[in-house]
Amino acid sequence: MGGNVSKEDIRGDTKEEEKPLVVVAIDFGTTYTGYAFSLVRSPTQIYTGKYKNKLVEDREPTTVLLKPDGSFDSFGYRAIRNYGHLSKQEQQNYRFFKTFKMELHNTTDLSHDTMIKDVRKREFSAAKVFSYVIEYLKSLAVSVMREDTTDLKENDIQWMISIPAIWSDSCRQFMREAATSAGIPEEKLRLVLEPEAASMYCRERLMVATGAASIDELPIGYKYILADLGGGTADICAHEIIERAKLRELYKASGGDFGGNKVDLEFYKFMINLVGGPVWTIFQDDYMPLSFEFMKEFEAKKKTFTSDVQTVSLKLENALLEILKTETDETLEETLSQMTSRYKGKLSYKRVDQRLEIKGDIMADFFKHSIDGVISKIKEILGECGEVQTLLLVGGFAESQYLRERIQAKIKNVRILLEQDARLAVMKGAVLMGYKPRNIIERRAWYTYGFSKVRLFQRGTDPEDLKVKKEDGKEYCDGLFDIQIKKGQIVKYDEMFPSSTIELLKDQASRKNTITIELWKSNRKTPRYCTEEEECSRIAEIVMKPPPKGWPERIRIERQLVMGETELQIQIKNATTGEKYETRLDFLEVNKTL
Ligand SMILES: Nc1ncnc2c1ncn2[C@@H]1O[C@H](COP(=O)(O)OP(=O)(O)OP(=O)(O)O)[C@@H](O)[C@H]1O
Ligand SMILES: [Mg+2]
């Protein structure tokens, strides 16, 4: 970036004043997390946390250490090191977190109060842990940019945070709140979907694949699959290029737990099989820095594994062998001799250098679940989307040669391209998106969304349990699903969906009460009632405060959904007076009240 540049220099020849001066993106991964930034004068010249050694690597392990009072201690490699230096007693009081991003997605009732567990299974506020990480990375990014540009103001920075496409609306709100409580101003924050960010980064590759002279000339109608093979998840989707190099989502899918960490989990299972659960747990819990070292060794072998590798050799830590001896009174040789027949002749141990040798086909087994999952998802998408020309691979796990060999063997007639710096595609792509307008992509709705509506009861049609009698003496059906957005429908940024009007009668007693409006979603394309239990759920609520003099006797409320960049927004109007209400969809509060 060069020392002492002014804001004028950053702007360079760029005349587009509306573009941010600098964009910083944070990629919060299951396994690795980091930040990257660039300046508007050359957006594609992207610096990562490694610039000026703020971080040891472009992204560091997603690990956090908190002090006994719950304040932030350290992140990444530093957190691992600091935790390792603590005495046994101190380790009881500090809190160490790893691989906690998946927990958000797995929590069905995510709220402001959701807790996550540290390595010792003690609970702590999830919101705080996420916020600490963002605050820390933010401070690093700001400090490195200030070193070079002294007149840079926080207001000059556009912040981008990438999130998995499969995240629910409540996870998205959770991340937004974590970022704002970390000090990122709401108006300077954009959430971007990980596969879309990666897609942005891959456009150069697509240019090469299609022979286009520039990104704007990418052929309209060109379809590709983008597979972001990360640690926690494999996000696989298909995009089509539409006019002016915009993208349209053809298919969205989540590969579930087919990320690279599944390989590690299979290896854990193997180790438990080998040394026994209790020994492995003691090694993991009480010798964490050493177990990290051991997993680092495995990671190195995982990275270099190909189908030609005959034997994988792993150096076992002294501590592990000692624990085995103390707990079971056995040596590893004795343990090996008792392994099941499945491993006969496939494992050996060299005492002289403490190396465990594993035959290649056992190692291949560790990859099986992830690779099979990825391949079957890709096949499913190919079946659905018709002619797809290219498969773009990004994410750290995509850097595995073995995985690519397997994909190549099973997926024919599609050009497979591995993005350079695959593990950085999301983070760098998120930086690039910061300079782009928000309407670059059209997506498909995951669910049908709608409000609950009341109308006159239709005998013989409506379910009896939805029948209510109102003040006017008439019978109504309460709980009709008033569809706003249909599952699978293409939705565009800033798109407004048809409004839905309800009429409420307010008696004297309820004039000063709040009015709550509920947003529902359904797995069905055309649900009729909100009570179709298996399929529908209430996902957000909007609480409207009464005006100072209270509500009028009869109030007509117009409700309308608007598509934001990644989240739904809502507009509410008093249809009688035209008065608009300040509102926000709250996807987190609803989980507490359900
Ligand atoms: N060369 C490689 N060969 C095999 N696996 C690799 C290689 N490089 C990284 N990985 C694996 O990729 C995973 C990390 O990928 P990545 O950094 O994309 O994940 P993440 O962004 O942290 O997770 P997610 O996107 O799921 O939240 C880890 O499981 C890691 O072991
Ligand atoms: Mg990722």
Side-chain angles (χ1 to χ4, degrees), residues 375-429:
I375 291 174
S376 85
K377 265 289 161 221
I378 294 173
K379 283 191 168 162
E380 185 185 318
I381 300 182
L382 284 171
E384 288 275 335
C385 296
E387 206 177 314
V388 170
Q389 288 87 348
T390 304
L391 167 62
L392 288 168
L393 298 176
V394 299
F397 192 36
E399 293 185 10
S400 157
Q401 191 184 325
Y402 180 66
L403 170 122
R404 293 199 311 278
E405 280 172 18
R406 301 300 311 143
I407 293 182
Q408 221 124 28
K410 297 280 178 187
I411 310 278
K412 304 285 183 201
N413 305 324
V414 176
R415 189 165 176 180
I416 300 172
L417 296 176
L418 170 71
E419 185 56 51
Q420 258 176 357
D421 278 348
R423 67 192 189 289
L424 303 180
V426 167
M427 192 163 81
K428 291 189 168 180

Side-chain angles (χ1 to χ4, degrees), residues 27-33 59 62 101-102 164 194 228-234 259-262 264 299 302-304 367 394-401 422-423:
D27 175 12
F28 208 123
T30 314
T31 338
Y32 295 102
T33 295
R59 294 161 78 212
T62 311
K101 181 182 163 193
M102 286 288 270
E194 290 172 5
D228 176 11
L229 310 179
T233 47
N261 292 0
K262 188 74 186 161
D264 306 1
E299 171 101 358
K302 173 179 161 188
K303 286 183 177 174
T304 47
F367 281 79
V394 299
F397 192 36
E399 293 185 10
S400 157
Q401 191 184 325
R423 67 192 189 289

Side-chain angles (χ1 to χ4, degrees), residues 531-582:
T531 44
E532 289 165 12
E533 278 177 18
E534 297 294 302
E535 308 286 342
C536 299
S537 58
R538 188 166 69 101
I539 53 159
E541 63 182 28
I542 309 105
V543 179
M544 294 168 63
K545 290 200 187 106
K549 288 188 191 144
W551 301 110
E553 192 180 336
R554 185 179 285 268
I555 172 167
R556 280 177 64 229
I557 296 173
E558 205 175 281
R559 311 167 289 187
Q560 187 160 35
L561 285 175
V562 185
M563 192 61 218
E565 187 173 18
T566 47
E567 296 133 293
L568 278 172
Q569 291 157 3
I570 187 165
Q571 287 186 2
I572 294 201
K573 203 163 85 177
N574 180 338
T576 322
T577 62
E579 193 181 355
K580 285 195 176 153
Y581 295 92
E582 278 286 315

Side-chain angles (χ1 to χ4, degrees), residues 55-82:
L55 293 178
V56 178
E57 286 171 7
D58 300 309
R59 294 161 78 212
E60 287 199 17
T62 311
T63 44
V64 185
L65 183 64
L66 304 184
K67 295 196 169 85
D69 65 1
S71 60
F72 176 77
D73 182 276
S74 43
F75 160 83
Y77 287 117
R78 202 166 283 164
I80 298 171
R81 203 178 53 228
N82 290 356

